[in-house]
């Protein structure tokens, strides 16, 4: 090392020591958050500048005195921080030696940050595989510039393809046009593989992505807290949008952490004019530990609803449960005799007579149960309980106005007018008769009064949420009732619903129960609580003479009795196999064994020097386990994580004849 390099190294160590005096610049494991420092410097933060000014050596290195005023040399500081810091840790020295450098820059420097959207023209390859993976910096969270992407987004070879039904699991000869699909693999690459097949065919896309709270599976470091999340979302949204029908809907579940960023991103991709609703969803109650904490208790999540094309978007009318409407206060005495003979009495009197009592006495006897019993009576007699409502001449047809006038001329007689495709008008003395039966909906087998839904949903969280579908997630699982309402609002029977953050499989399960087709993509491993198990429970299975299927969630509302089928398929892995093994390793010896297999079978980046890796193996062993993992992962060619369809005849891909056949069938090739 020459004197200049030695001096730079000493200055670097002095700088690190000084910057660590600011707690916000230090990670939980005591390492300096280098990119946080760089961003603070760009903002001319006093946290950085004051620390530098306190040290004479650092002040002389990064400031120039102009007429008695110290002027910060930002460019020099950033150049030093963003380059020199990498030259003085073992990981970077080793990375440089084995060739992890492109265009004179280390790979973790090639972020090409742009204003508005950092990494706007890049692809983020999300590599999470475990729900509880929470690191200060996830090692495989790679940003690829466009010039580094060649085959990444090509359609992939399919493997492990099976059809599940109530009869069990079977291999399949071919895909059908109405198949439900459950795809296992990286969701960006799965979307790219589906792009042509589903182009313009999906009526609803619902996603419940990582909320970027720092406590979920995407525990980004501060440097990538927003930029990586936006990149991750953008890459997938751009492909997904192409799959929507012209009258389709995109719905994203999100919380307060990223809703502002998400709206800006969605506005750019879908167009601001296509934002239809921002719905507030109540996800809990003010109970437990929430009561103890000071300040405002947060109970809200949000749904961002965008249309594909505002002019074509036509949502359905959806009703929700409400308390009894006391405007329905009349009772038809002789309903069975025909409307011409109907006689009416106050509802309270009719209810009292049904109990062989008087209204005053019954209220005293029932006490607090009076309203409950009256509501039950109303629902049981829904076709006979009515209210009289005014007919507004401005909002009715000429025929209805004539009926209204005729009714006033015969004030004691009920008149009726049939309406094509709608319920008939019944009118008495110019007043419209409205029936309770037309205001009831059924939820979990119980009938209730209803009203049109608003943009506040406080009624979609059931008591048994954690066990819905027979899979258990203590946090984050969306209730079936929420998905059911979204599908009621935006789809009809037979429509295709896509969810590429499928998680525990709620979207797919609800789609089956309400007779929609689904395509679900999931890349994380949840073991016995994953989407495959959820859908197997939904379809059901024969158990001797009995047939078991999921009866929870919205099964009663949709009259779900089990049945149906879905096709499970995986993207065929190549380099992803090594990624999985690297992530699972717990010690250096395991990683070295993986390295030996990689040398024989893996696809490496073009600039990796395997010989120098072996020559510097002792330096590799001196790195931390996380650095070792990061190094091995970054040596792999990310364009070859999965086997591309175009490469399936290549012998090195080891694609079986059955995989070739089913892949060609899926992509409808000869």
């Amino acid at each position: 090392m020459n004197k200049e390099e030695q001096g730079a190294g000493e200055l670097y160590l002095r700088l690190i020591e000084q910057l660590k005096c600011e707690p916000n610049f230090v990670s939980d494991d005591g390492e300096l958050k280098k990119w946080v420092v760089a961003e603070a410097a760009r903002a001319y933060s006093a946290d950085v500048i004051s620390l530098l000014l306190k040290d004479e050596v650092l002040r002389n290195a990064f400031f120039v005195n102009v007429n008695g005023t110290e002027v910060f040399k930002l460019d020099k500081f950033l150049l030093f921080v963003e380059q020199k810091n990498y030259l003085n840790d073992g990981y970077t020295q080793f990375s440089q030696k084995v060739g992890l450098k492109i265009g004179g820059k280390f790979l973790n420097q090639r972020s090409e940050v742009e204003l508005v959207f950092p990494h706007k023209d890049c692809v983020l390859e999300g590599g999470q595989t475990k729900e509880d993976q929470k690191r200060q910096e996830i090692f495989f969270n790679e940003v690829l510039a466009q010039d580094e992407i060649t085959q990444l987004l090509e359609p992939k070879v399919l493997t492990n393809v099976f059809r599940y039904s109530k009869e069990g699991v079977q291999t399949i000869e071919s895909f059908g046009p109405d198949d439900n699909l459950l795809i296992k693999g990286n969701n960006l690459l799965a979307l790219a593989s589906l792009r042509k097949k589903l182009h313009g065919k999906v009526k609803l896309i619902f996603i419940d992505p990582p909320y970027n709270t720092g406590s979920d599976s995407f525990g980004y470091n501060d440097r990538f807290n927003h930029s990586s999340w936006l990149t991750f979302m953008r890459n997938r949204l751009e492909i997904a949008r192409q799959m929507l029908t012209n009258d389709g809907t995109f719905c994203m579940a999100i919380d307060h952490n990223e809703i502002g960023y998400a709206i800006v991103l969605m506005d750019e991709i879908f167009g601001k004019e296509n934002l239809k609703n921002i719905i507030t969803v109540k996800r809990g109650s003010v109970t437990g530990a929430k009561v103890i904490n000071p300040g405002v208790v947060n109970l809200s999540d949000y749904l961002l609803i965008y249309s594909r094309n505002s002019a074509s978007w036509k949502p359905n009318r959806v009703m929700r449960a409400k308390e009894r409407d006391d405007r329905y206060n009349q009772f038809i005495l002789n309903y069975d005799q025909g409307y011409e003979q109907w006689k009416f009495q106050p509802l309270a009197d009719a209810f009292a007579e049904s109990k062989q009592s008087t209204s005053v006495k019954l209220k005293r006897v029932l006490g607090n149960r009076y309203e409950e019993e009256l509501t039950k009576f109303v629902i049981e007699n829904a076709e006979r309980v009515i209210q009289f409502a005014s007919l507004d001449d401005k909002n009715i047809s000429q025929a209805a106005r004539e009926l209204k006038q005729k009714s006033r001329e015969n004030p004691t007689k009920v008149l009726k007018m049939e309406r094509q495709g709608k319920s008939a008008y019944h009118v008495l003395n110019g007043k419209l008769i409205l029936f309770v039966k037309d205001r009831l909906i059924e939820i979990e087998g119980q009938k209730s009064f209803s009203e049109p839904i608003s943009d506040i949903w406080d009624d979609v969280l059931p008591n048994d949420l954690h066990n819905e579908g027979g899979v258990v997630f203590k946090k984050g699982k969306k209730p079936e009732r929420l998905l059911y309402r979204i599908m009621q609002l935006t789809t009809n029977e037979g429509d295709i619903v896509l969810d590429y953050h499928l998680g525990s499989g709620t979207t797919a399960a609800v789609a089956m129960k309400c007779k929609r087709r689904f395509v679900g993509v999931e890349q994380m491993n949840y073991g016995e609580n994953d989407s495959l198990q959820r859908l197997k429970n939904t379809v059901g299975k024969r158990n001797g003479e009995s047939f078991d299927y999921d009866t929870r969630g919205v099964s009663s509302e949709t009259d779900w009795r089990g049945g149906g089928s879905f096709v499970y398929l995986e993207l065929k892995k190549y380099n992803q196999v090594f990624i999985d093994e690297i992530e699972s390793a717990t010690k250096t010896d395991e990683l070295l064994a993986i390295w030996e297999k990689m040398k024989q079978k893996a696809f490496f980046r073009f600039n990796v020097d395997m010989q120098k890796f072996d020559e510097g193996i002792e330096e590799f062993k001196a790195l931390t386990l996380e650095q070792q993992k990061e190094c091995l992962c970054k040596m792999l060619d990310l364009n070859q994580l999965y086997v591309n369809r175009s490469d399936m005849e290549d012998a090195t891909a080891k694609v079986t004849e059955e995989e070739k056949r089913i892949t060609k069938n899926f992509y409808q090739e000869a």
Side-chain angles (χ1 to χ4, degrees):
M1 181 182 295
N2 59 39
K3 291 183 178 180
E4 181 180 356
E5 289 176 332
Q6 183 177 0
E10 293 174 354
L11 180 62
Y12 170 77
L13 294 175
R14 192 183 192 100
L15 176 63
I16 292 295
E17 182 179 356
Q18 183 70 354
L19 290 173
K20 283 186 176 182
C21 294
E22 169 53 53
N24 291 331
F25 295 160
V26 183
S27 66
D28 293 340
D29 56 5
E31 294 297 317
L32 186 70
K33 298 179 180 178
K34 301 167 187 176
W35 285 105
V36 176
V37 171
E39 289 185 349
R42 290 188 184 96
Y44 294 96
S45 169
D47 292 340
V48 173
I49 293 175
S50 61
L51 287 174
L52 298 178
L53 289 172
K54 289 177 181 178
D55 185 286
E56 183 179 359
V57 174
L58 298 178
R59 183 173 67 248
N60 292 335
F62 299 115
F63 291 84
V64 60
N65 190 286
V66 179
N67 296 327
T69 301
E70 298 289 349
V71 179
F72 185 32
K73 294 189 284 188
L74 175 63
D75 290 343
K76 180 179 179 180
F77 178 78
L78 291 177
L79 184 65
F80 189 85
V81 169
E82 294 177 357
Q83 294 187 20
K84 291 296 182 183
N85 61 356
Y86 292 105
L87 298 178
N88 291 279
D89 62 73
Y91 166 68
T92 307
Q93 290 176 353
F94 185 75
S95 297
Q96 183 180 21
K97 179 176 291 187
V98 299
L100 293 181
K101 194 173 183 182
I102 295 176
K105 289 186 177 182
F106 293 102
L107 295 181
N108 47 358
Q109 288 179 275
R110 292 180 55 83
S111 52
E112 286 96 14
V113 176
E114 292 187 24
L115 293 176
V116 185
F117 289 108
H119 316 302
K120 181 176 179 181
D121 297 319
C122 301
V123 170
L124 180 67
E125 172 62 35
Q128 83 278 26
T129 59
K130 299 177 183 178
E131 187 192 20
D132 61 351
Q133 187 178 48
K134 303 168 186 173
R135 297 187 178 90
Q136 191 68 18
E137 181 171 357
I138 291 179
F139 65 83
F140 186 56
N141 183 32
E142 188 72 38
V143 179
L144 301 179
Q146 287 297 313
D147 60 0
E148 296 178 76
I149 301 167
T150 57
Q151 298 173 299
L152 182 68
L153 301 182
E154 285 190 13
K156 306 305 178 188
V157 172
L158 307 178
T159 188
N160 294 331
V161 182
F162 300 100
R163 186 183 305 278
Y164 288 84
S165 69
K166 65 182 181 181
E167 305 303 330
V169 56
Q170 304 92 25
T171 57
I172 70 171
E173 292 299 317
S174 62
F175 291 90
D178 298 324
D179 280 337
N180 294 310
L181 302 177
L182 174 57
I183 303 172
K184 191 64 174 294
N186 181 282
N187 58 9
L188 174 63
L189 308 189
L191 284 173
S193 298
L194 291 166
R195 177 165 28 193
K196 184 176 180 181
K197 187 179 184 71
L198 293 181
H199 189 276
K201 295 180 180 180
V202 177
K203 189 65 174 292
L204 167 66
I205 299 176
F206 170 83
I207 61 169
D208 180 20
Y211 281 4
N212 201 22
T213 62
S215 61
D216 57 19
S217 57
F218 263 64
Y220 294 124
N221 64 16
D222 291 338
R223 161 64 179 146
F224 290 123
N225 195 31
H226 295 305
S227 62
S228 282
W229 188 86
L230 286 169
T231 303
F232 177 87
M233 295 297 296
R234 181 188 179 88
N235 303 148
R236 288 148 180 80
L237 289 169
E238 287 178 327
I239 298 176
R241 180 180 177 274
Q242 300 171 31
M243 301 180 185
L244 283 174
T245 60
N246 198 44
D247 60 346
T249 303
F250 194 104
C251 180
M252 179 194 298
I254 201 70
D255 75 350
H256 66 281
N257 287 286
E258 293 290 353
I259 185 171
Y261 294 87
I263 291 174
V264 174
L265 179 61
M266 295 284 284
D267 281 352
E268 179 177 294
I269 293 174
F270 284 88
K272 189 173 182 179
E273 71 280 4
N274 286 310
L275 173 57
K276 295 304 174 187
N277 300 105
I278 301 176
I279 295 171
T280 301
V281 181
K282 182 181 178 183
R283 56 175 165 76
S285 301
V286 184
T287 58
K290 302 187 189 81
V291 179
I292 303 172
N293 297 331
V296 177
V297 178
N298 176 252
L299 301 177
S300 299
D301 283 344
Y302 304 94
L303 299 176
L304 301 181
I305 296 183
Y306 281 77
S307 63
R308 174 68 172 83
N309 184 320
S310 187
S312 303
W313 194 66
K314 293 180 175 61
N316 299 319
R317 181 177 175 82
V318 179
M319 309 296 288
R320 58 165 279 171
K322 61 166 291 186
E323 298 297 319
R324 181 179 69 86
D325 188 338
D326 57 13
R327 292 175 298 177
Y328 288 84
N329 56 12
Q330 295 292 314
F331 189 83
I332 303 175
L333 288 170
N334 50 346
Y335 179 80
D336 296 333
Q337 293 182 16
Y339 67 90
E340 299 93 342
Q341 309 299 320
W342 284 351
K343 302 296 180 184
F344 306 90
Q345 78 174 136
L347 172 63
D349 293 342
F351 176 48
E353 289 180 10
S354 73
K355 300 291 188 180
Q356 298 180 341
S357 182
T358 64
S359 180
V360 174
K361 182 179 179 180
L362 190 59
K363 288 182 179 180
R364 185 173 65 252
V365 171
L366 293 177
N368 293 335
R369 291 177 45 242
Y370 180 83
E371 177 60 29
E372 178 184 345
E373 292 294 325
L374 177 57
T375 300
K376 181 179 178 182
F377 173 79
V378 169
I379 291 174
E380 290 174 348
N381 295 275
E383 73 282 357
R384 304 176 70 170
V385 179
I386 61 99
Q387 70 158 303
F388 295 112
S390 298
L391 274 170
D392 186 352
D393 289 342
K394 295 181 180 179
N395 298 319
I396 59 177
S397 65
Q398 180 61 34
R401 285 194 289 271
E402 293 174 359
L403 177 69
K404 176 181 176 180
Q405 182 59 37
K406 185 177 179 180
S407 171
R408 284 178 171 171
E409 296 170 358
N410 300 273
T412 62
K413 185 176 181 179
V414 176
L415 302 182
K416 181 180 181 181
M417 184 182 79
E418 297 290 348
R419 297 190 301 162
Q420 186 174 5
K422 299 179 180 179
S423 59
Y425 273 152
H426 290 84
V427 181
L428 177 67
N429 194 22
K431 297 284 189 178
L432 182 63
I433 299 175
L434 300 178
F435 297 85
V436 163
K437 66 182 177 65
D438 296 325
R439 292 293 310 277
L440 298 182
I441 59 173
E442 186 171 309
I443 298 179
E444 295 184 349
Q446 300 294 321
K447 290 185 177 180
S448 171
F449 273 82
S450 65
E451 64 183 359
I453 58 173
S454 70
D455 58 1
I456 297 178
W457 295 1
D458 57 3
D459 61 333
V460 293
L461 187 66
N463 294 328
D464 63 344
L465 167 62
H466 299 327
N467 296 317
E468 278 188 346
V471 295
V472 179
F473 276 81
K474 293 183 178 181
K475 294 182 179 180
K477 185 169 70 171
K478 290 293 181 284
E480 289 196 6
R481 195 179 294 166
L482 172 65
L483 270 299
Y484 183 45
R485 176 166 293 173
I486 294 169
M487 291 183 202
Q488 284 180 302
L489 179 67
T490 61
T491 67
N492 298 300
E493 288 187 11
D495 287 338
I496 300 176
V497 178
L498 168 65
D499 184 344
Y500 55 87
H501 288 282
L502 192 58
S504 64
T506 304
T507 303
V510 174
M512 291 190 75
K513 291 180 180 181
C514 62
K515 300 179 181 178
R516 274 70 166 168
R517 290 172 55 199
F518 74 80
V519 177
V521 182
E522 183 51 55
Q523 68 187 60
M524 294 174 70
N525 298 315
Y526 297 115
E528 62 183 12
N529 293 317
D530 70 2
S531 51
L532 175 59
Q533 184 59 50
R534 170 73 165 272
L535 291 175
K536 288 163 64 176
N537 295 341
T538 303
V539 168
K541 62 180 179 180
R542 296 208 173 277
N543 193 3
E545 296 297 319
S546 64
F547 177 53
D548 298 325
Y549 59 91
D550 179 34
T551 59
R552 287 164 286 206
V554 296
S555 294
S556 58
E557 286 103 311
T558 59
D559 194 29
W560 179 248
R561 306 294 178 86
S565 67
F566 65 93
V567 176
Y568 173 86
L569 56 148
E570 299 176 4
L571 306 184
K572 186 175 178 65
K573 298 176 181 179
Y574 199 88
N575 274 354
Q576 184 65 44
V577 171
F578 299 113
I579 296 289
D580 294 343
E581 291 181 3
I582 291 168
E583 287 180 335
S584 299
T586 58
K587 53 187 178 180
T588 299
D589 288 347
E590 295 175 17
L591 292 177
L592 292 175
I594 296 169
W595 166 245
E596 291 302 319
K597 290 191 291 183
M598 286 170 60
K599 287 193 294 184
Q600 299 299 318
K601 300 179 180 180
F603 285 110
F604 291 97
R605 292 181 185 268
F606 72 91
N607 55 333
V608 168
D609 191 326
M610 290 186 286
Q611 181 178 347
K612 288 185 177 179
F613 185 102
D614 286 333
E615 291 173 355
I617 200 69
E618 294 304 318
E619 294 176 62
F620 176 80
K621 293 178 181 179
L623 303 177
T624 68
L625 185 67
E626 290 303 303
Q627 288 176 332
Q628 291 171 353
K629 289 184 175 185
E630 183 174 1
C631 184
L632 289 179
C633 284
K634 287 189 173 181
M635 294 175 74
L636 293 166
D637 182 354
L638 300 187
N639 286 292
Q640 302 293 341
L641 289 178
Y642 295 85
V643 180
N644 292 325
R645 178 186 59 177
S646 59
D647 294 333
M648 66 181 179
E649 298 298 336
D650 189 330
T652 60
K654 295 184 178 180
V655 180
T656 68
E657 291 303 315
E658 175 59 20
E659 289 170 339
K660 293 177 184 178
R661 184 191 67 78
I662 204 67
T663 298
K664 290 179 179 179
N665 181 267
F666 182 80
Y667 295 114
Q668 297 181 342
E669 300 172 355

